[in-house]
Amino acid sequence: MSGFEAFGEQREPEPPPRIPMPRSSVEDGDRPLPAPREQAPGPLVLEHHVLKSLLGAWALAACSAEETAAVEEHLGGCGPCAEEALRLRDAVGLLHPPESLDLDPALRTRVLQGCLDRRPPRIPVPDWATPYDAETARLDALLQDIGDAEWHAPVRLRWFDGEAPAGRRTTVAGVIAHLLCVDGLVAVALGLDDPLGDSVTDGPGPASRTEALWRSSPSPPTRAVRGPWREQSHDLVRTVSFTGGSGSGRPAVSYGDFELPLHDAMLDRAFECWVHAEDIADAVDYPYEPPAPRHLHRMIDLAARVLPAVLAGRRQKGLASPVPGRHLGVAGGPGRSLRLEIEGLGGGEWLIPLDSPAAQASSEHEVAHVALDGVEFCRLAAGHVPPQEAAAGQVGDREAIRDVLFAAAALSRM
């Protein structure tokens, strides 16, 4: 044994580790757990100058819950601070205006327009068919939002039969069936399938076709009618996009006792789609806006162009006549005219020849002036407003004004 082993080795103590070892949890030992700290009773108590300095953070909703409670309690008793807080909150509102969670109703239009601007469609919809495309899309969106029971909500179709208001009761589904039948007139003219199929009708007009479809249905129409109507509207837009962009207005569309060029027939269908969409919206308490101003203007223009022929037809039936002592104008020659002024979006001015559809209307022979709101005029033309009650500004020949207002109402039909 060496001397070192005999006397024992003298070693220096080891230094502590550079990285401390993990401490053991209090829960792992046998020591009692510390008592939980008690919450301070009552609200936070702060001095006036501290509370005043917190007003900016409070307006921005950046205070803690305790600070917010203290500030709001202080504002209830301190007038100067309350006024300052109100000014700060208004300023924050200007910096961060509240935003609605509802989608902007124009969002869909902007998105589609942006897409079309980046990549135009290979086969664009003709400009004269866009009102029909837009109105059928709007009505389809309404139908998508309603429930099964609302398809059986009662709807009254209204029109003016030439002398007095007329009507027919149906349902929301019945209205869509009616649109399907009358749009079918355009489909047949374009060589597409007739939605009536082999159903026997009493005549070629819209009313006879509608009654035939209602009779042939084994039960009242249901929401199942939406599919055929929507498919037909898509087929019409697709077909005129391929074949109707030449601008010729052919083929003509027969309504039984009269015809319309294809361009005008599509406008007529857009107008009726909007009118009946409003009927449905009223029945199911659904908000519905008028068409876009550019589309509304075209619908009004169609009515103004058809008015002289309707006025002449009423005169032949004895429902409208020139003032005694006056003679009808000759075709192409000057004759009495009425200035129709349509106010609001989509409006304009039209000179309506009074004595003959082929007469030349001119301001030199103007005998009367009528002013109407655009939507009011359209509802008059739809037979929803009696001509005696139309809110029109009137100047000039009262007989001529009456004849034109009644002719406008006579544009309507089932």
Side-chain angles (χ1 to χ4, degrees):
M1 180 181 293
S2 65
F4 291 106
E5 293 176 350
F7 292 99
E9 183 178 2
Q10 302 294 325
R11 297 183 179 181
E12 296 182 359
E14 296 182 1
R18 298 179 60 185
I19 300 177
M21 298 298 292
R23 292 180 295 178
S24 60
S25 172
V26 176
E27 290 83 353
D28 296 336
D30 54 357
R31 295 182 180 180
L33 295 176
R37 290 183 296 177
E38 296 183 358
Q39 297 290 336
L44 187 63
V45 178
L46 299 173
E47 296 182 6
H48 178 272
H49 69 280
V50 177
L51 292 167
K52 185 176 181 180
S53 67
L54 290 173
L55 292 179
W58 172 84
L60 291 168
C63 290
S64 66
E66 294 82 4
E67 291 171 340
T68 299
V71 170
E72 292 178 351
E73 182 180 359
H74 176 68
L75 296 180
C78 181
C81 285
E83 293 178 1
E84 179 67 15
L86 183 61
R87 286 194 294 270
L88 290 172
R89 180 58 62 88
D90 291 341
V92 171
L94 294 175
L95 293 173
H96 302 282
E99 297 181 358
S100 173
L101 296 179
D102 296 333
L103 291 178
D104 183 355
L107 178 61
R108 180 178 182 272
T109 302
R110 292 202 303 270
V111 170
L112 290 177
Q113 188 61 45
C115 294
L116 293 176
D117 289 343
R118 290 178 176 269
R119 184 177 180 181
R122 296 179 60 185
I123 307 295
V125 177
D127 189 54
W128 47 267
T130 53
Y132 177 81
D133 189 26
E135 292 310 309
T136 52
R138 291 205 306 144
L139 175 54
D140 191 47
L142 184 161
L143 299 177
Q144 188 175 7
D145 283 352
I146 66 177
D148 290 342
E150 291 175 307
W151 281 84
H152 301 287
V155 179
R156 181 173 178 81
L157 299 179
R158 295 172 291 164
W159 66 94
F160 189 79
D161 67 358
E163 299 184 52
R168 179 73 155 78
R169 292 191 178 276
T170 183
T171 63
V172 170
V175 174
I176 301 303
H178 167 63
L179 289 174
L180 175 70
C181 287
V182 188
D183 286 359
L185 294 171
V186 183
V188 171
L190 291 173
L192 302 175
D193 293 337
D194 189 342
L196 286 182
D198 298 329
S199 299
V200 178
T201 65
D202 297 332
S208 299
R209 289 174 59 85
T210 301
E211 295 287 355
L213 182 60
W214 286 346
R215 287 195 306 267
S216 64
S217 300
S219 60
T222 64
R223 70 178 307 150
V225 74
R226 178 191 172 203
W229 169 79
R230 181 174 56 181
E231 183 178 355
Q232 178 178 259
S233 66
H234 290 174
D235 287 344
L236 289 177
V237 173
R238 187 183 306 111
T239 302
V240 299
S241 298
F242 276 100
T243 64
S246 64
S248 63
R250 293 293 174 184
V253 178
S254 174
Y255 283 75
D257 52 353
F258 66 94
E259 288 186 349
L260 286 176
L262 178 61
H263 296 183
D264 289 345
M266 293 293 286
L267 264 180
D268 170 77
R269 303 316 308 139
F271 174 77
E272 188 168 356
C273 182
W274 163 48
V275 169
H276 289 320
E278 281 200 335
D279 293 337
I280 294 173
D282 290 342
V284 300
D285 195 22
Y286 189 98
Y288 210 78
E289 297 295 327
R294 64 184 184 279
H295 297 165
L296 189 63
H297 178 82
R298 294 181 179 181
M299 296 175 189
I300 295 171
D301 178 70
L302 172 62
R305 288 188 283 112
V306 175
L307 267 177
V310 176
L311 184 59
R314 288 178 57 82
R315 184 177 292 116
Q316 292 175 357
K317 296 178 182 178
L319 300 176
S321 59
V323 176
R326 291 180 179 165
H327 299 282
L328 298 181
V330 297
R336 296 180 307 136
S337 303
L338 177 142
R339 183 177 299 275
L340 177 63
E341 179 182 355
I342 303 299
E343 301 171 339
L345 298 176
E349 289 191 358
W350 289 263
L351 283 172
I352 310 299
L354 299 173
D355 295 331
S356 170
Q360 183 68 38
S362 65
S363 56
E364 290 80 6
H365 295 84
E366 181 180 324
V367 298
H369 185 171
V370 174
L372 281 137
D373 174 74
V375 175
E376 178 80 1
F377 175 76
C378 287
R379 288 174 178 157
L380 171 66
H384 287 195
V385 177
Q388 307 92 325
E389 301 176 10
Q394 307 175 9
V395 177
D397 190 329
R398 296 295 177 181
E399 189 71 20
I401 293 171
R402 179 188 179 280
D403 286 346
V404 169
L405 292 179
F406 271 77
L411 291 169
S412 62
R413 59 182 181 273
M414 179 178 172

